[in-house]
């Protein structure tokens, strides 16, 4: 936007209007007595551009209000009120202006602007009606806001529709909403559909899926699944399958390494480590943080059991035998009674 000086006139453009000034000797010789014209950009309906060479002048021709662009000759181009000629040294500036006006035309058409109505709304097309232009600019802003709101509604509806299709594809029975929710948060699901469908078959009773990401382990591209119990890598090919799980209670730590688009997760288990590569960056950091939280939770010792009353100590068998012997010597117990009681006590040892 700015001012563009040509051979037969000048074009000025700002945020909302375009002004054409017929000036210079060539304009006077053409017999034109057209005063400067300021019109809304929304009235621009078409643009024609002819580049300049060192021998032949170029021209920029503008149509307003849906009027067709008339065919021009070397003579009529100089006299057309909506055309400005320019020399070879001015061609770069007019190329820029032509490109801008072509974008204006495309925007007017995409937004359904009625350029004829805008053009006719000016009581005097030769004058600049600031109030009407401001009102028109406001209408454009309101229409733009409406189009934006409609676009956001369509996007939201599209996301909901994709979510419902994903749920139907992964879990037609509706029994594993945890898998559907984790899959919906994945940044990349291309190539992992088979593993996602088979995932429920590999889960234990009471095991809940928290996060899922795509990754490559041992040259196999599958999915990496974090549950409340373990970190699970799952690969389901057409011919072969592979599964590797890392219980959270056995993982000592995890490390990440990130590149431009993807990164890797290194899992340390019992002195060894496993590297899962090709994880999308947006999935890598949340997954690593969640694994660390799971490790901390798994390593927390269970609460100590409540203290119970001490069991009574067993009676001293030998002390009781001595008491029986005293009774036997005193004649209270017969030989048979003493022998029988003694056998009973010895049987308790």
């Amino acid at each position: 936007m700015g001012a563009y000086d040509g051979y037969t006139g000048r074009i000025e453009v700002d945020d909302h209007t375009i002004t054409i000034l017929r000036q210079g000797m060539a304009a006077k010789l053409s017999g034109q007595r057209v005063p400067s014209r300021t019109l809304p950009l929304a009235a621009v309906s078409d643009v024609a551009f002819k580049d300049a060479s060192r021998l032949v002048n170029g021209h920029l021709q503008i149509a307003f209000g849906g009027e067709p662009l008339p065919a021009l000759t070397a003579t009529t181009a100089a006299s057309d009120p909506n055309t400005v000629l320019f020399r070879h040294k001015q061609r770069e500036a007019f190329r820029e202006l032509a490109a801008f006006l072509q974008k204006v035309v495309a925007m007017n058409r995409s937004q359904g602007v009625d350029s004829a109505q805008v053009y006719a709304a000016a009581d005097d097309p030769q004058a600049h009606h600031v109030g009407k232009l401001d009102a028109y600019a406001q209408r454009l802003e309101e229409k733009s806001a409406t189009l934006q709101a409609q676009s956001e509604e369509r996007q939201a509806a599209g996301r909901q529709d994709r979510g419902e299709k994903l749920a139907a594809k992964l879990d037609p029975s509706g029994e594993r909403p945890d898998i559907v929710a984790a899959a919906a948060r994945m940044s990349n699901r291309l190539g992992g559909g088979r593993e996602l469908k088979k995932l429920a078959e590999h889960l234990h009773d009471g095991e809940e899926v928290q996060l899922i990401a795509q990754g490559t382990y041992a040259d196999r591209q599958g999915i990496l699944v974090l549950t409340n119990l373990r970190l699970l890598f799952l690969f389901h090919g057409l011919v072969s399958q592979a599964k590797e799980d890392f219980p959270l209670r056995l993982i000592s730590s995890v490390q990440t390494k990130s590149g431009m688009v993807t990164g890797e997760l290194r899992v340390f288990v019992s002195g060894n480590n496993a590297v899962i590569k090709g994880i999308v960056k947006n999935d890598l950091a949340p997954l690593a943080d969640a694994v660390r939280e799971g490790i901390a939770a798994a390593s927390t010792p269970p609460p100590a059991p409540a203290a119970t009353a001490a069991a009574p100590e067993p009676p001293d068998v030998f002390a009781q035998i001595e008491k029986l012997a005293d009774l036997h010597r005193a004649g209270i117990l017969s030989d048979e009674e003493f022998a029988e009681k003694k056998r009973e006590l010895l049987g308790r040892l």
Side-chain angles (χ1 to χ4, degrees), residues 14 47 53-54 58 72 84 106 126 148 157 166 184 208 225 275 310 326:
D14 62 18
V47 177
S53 66
R54 296 187 180 278
L72 299 178
V84 172
Q126 312 295 330
Q148 179 68 23
L166 177 64
E208 183 177 348
V225 183
V275 180
D326 291 339

Side-chain angles (χ1 to χ4, degrees), residues 1-5 9-21 36-44 47 60 62 64 82 84 93-105 107-108 128 133:
M1 293 182 292
Y4 301 82
D5 291 308
R10 173 187 178 94
I11 298 178
E12 297 176 354
V13 180
D14 62 18
D15 290 336
H16 303 294
T17 63
I18 179 170
T19 300
I20 302 177
L21 299 95
S36 64
R37 311 176 64 205
T38 299
L39 294 169
L41 285 175
V44 178
V47 177
L60 178 63
I62 306 170
F64 296 97
N82 296 329
V84 172
F94 275 81
R95 283 177 187 169
E96 175 185 274
L97 176 58
F100 169 77
L101 292 177
Q102 287 165 355
K103 291 180 181 178
V104 170
V105 172
M107 183 182 69
N108 289 342
H128 182 144
L133 290 178

Side-chain angles (χ1 to χ4, degrees), residues 25-74:
M25 185 58 68
K28 294 179 180 179
L29 293 176
S30 69
Q32 292 297 309
R33 296 293 183 266
V34 179
S36 64
R37 311 176 64 205
T38 299
L39 294 169
L41 285 175
V44 178
S45 55
D46 207 352
V47 177
F49 176 79
K50 178 183 177 183
D51 211 349
S53 66
R54 296 187 180 278
L55 300 177
V56 180
N57 292 328
H59 66 259
L60 178 63
Q61 183 183 13
I62 306 170
F64 296 97
E67 291 292 331
L69 288 168
L72 299 178
T73 64

Side-chain angles (χ1 to χ4, degrees), residues 18-314:
I18 179 170
T19 300
I20 302 177
L21 299 95
R22 299 288 297 176
Q23 60 186 22
M25 185 58 68
K28 294 179 180 179
L29 293 176
S30 69
Q32 292 297 309
R33 296 293 183 266
V34 179
S36 64
R37 311 176 64 205
T38 299
L39 294 169
L41 285 175
V44 178
S45 55
D46 207 352
V47 177
F49 176 79
K50 178 183 177 183
D51 211 349
S53 66
R54 296 187 180 278
L55 300 177
V56 180
N57 292 328
H59 66 259
L60 178 63
Q61 183 183 13
I62 306 170
F64 296 97
E67 291 292 331
L69 288 168
L72 299 178
T73 64
T75 302
T76 57
S79 60
D80 184 77
N82 296 329
T83 300
V84 172
L85 276 65
F86 56 92
R87 294 188 173 92
H88 181 262
K89 64 181 181 180
Q90 300 162 330
R91 69 189 188 284
E92 293 296 336
F94 275 81
R95 283 177 187 169
E96 175 185 274
L97 176 58
F100 169 77
L101 292 177
Q102 287 165 355
K103 291 180 181 178
V104 170
V105 172
M107 183 182 69
N108 289 342
R109 292 174 180 172
S110 67
Q111 294 185 351
V113 174
D114 188 345
S115 58
Q117 182 179 359
V118 174
Y119 185 80
D123 295 333
D124 182 3
Q126 312 295 330
H128 182 144
H129 296 280
V130 177
K132 292 184 178 181
L133 290 178
D134 289 343
Y136 175 73
Q138 183 177 356
R139 290 197 300 273
L140 276 184
E141 291 177 359
E142 292 172 354
K143 186 167 187 177
S144 177
T146 301
L147 292 174
Q148 179 68 23
Q150 292 173 349
S151 175
E152 292 175 355
E153 289 177 1
R154 288 193 296 269
Q155 292 176 3
R159 286 193 296 268
Q160 181 179 358
D161 183 58
R162 288 193 296 272
E164 292 174 353
K165 290 181 179 178
L166 177 64
K169 183 184 295 184
L170 297 182
D171 186 24
S173 65
E175 296 178 354
R176 294 307 305 239
D178 56 333
I179 296 179
V180 175
R185 291 194 296 269
M186 294 173 64
S187 298
N188 177 29
R189 289 192 298 272
L190 294 176
R194 187 178 293 109
E195 287 81 8
L196 289 171
K197 291 179 182 178
K198 297 289 184 179
L199 176 56
E201 301 174 8
H202 297 273
L203 298 175
H204 306 314
D205 291 340
E207 189 171 17
E208 183 177 348
V209 174
Q210 298 174 351
L211 289 174
I212 306 176
Q214 278 206 19
T216 301
Y217 177 63
D219 296 328
R220 291 186 173 97
Q221 183 176 359
I223 59 174
L224 188 61
V225 183
L226 175 64
T227 74
N228 57 325
L229 302 178
R230 56 180 168 159
L231 190 62
L232 169 68
F233 177 81
L234 186 63
F235 165 75
H236 262 271
L238 294 175
V239 178
S240 63
Q241 292 83 39
K243 180 173 72 172
E244 187 80 21
D245 62 347
F246 311 94
L248 293 175
R249 59 184 175 80
L250 299 181
I251 299 176
S252 58
S253 64
V254 293
Q255 293 179 355
T256 60
K257 181 179 179 182
S258 184
M260 292 291 292
V261 179
T262 63
E264 65 180 36
L265 181 72
R266 189 176 296 268
V267 184
F268 294 88
V269 183
S270 303
N272 299 318
N273 65 83
V275 180
I276 298 92
K277 301 180 179 179
I279 303 175
V280 176
K281 287 177 62 176
N282 289 343
D283 292 339
L284 180 59
L287 178 63
D289 291 341
V291 172
R292 293 186 182 102
E293 293 177 3
I295 295 172
S299 61
T300 302
T308 57
E313 295 184 359

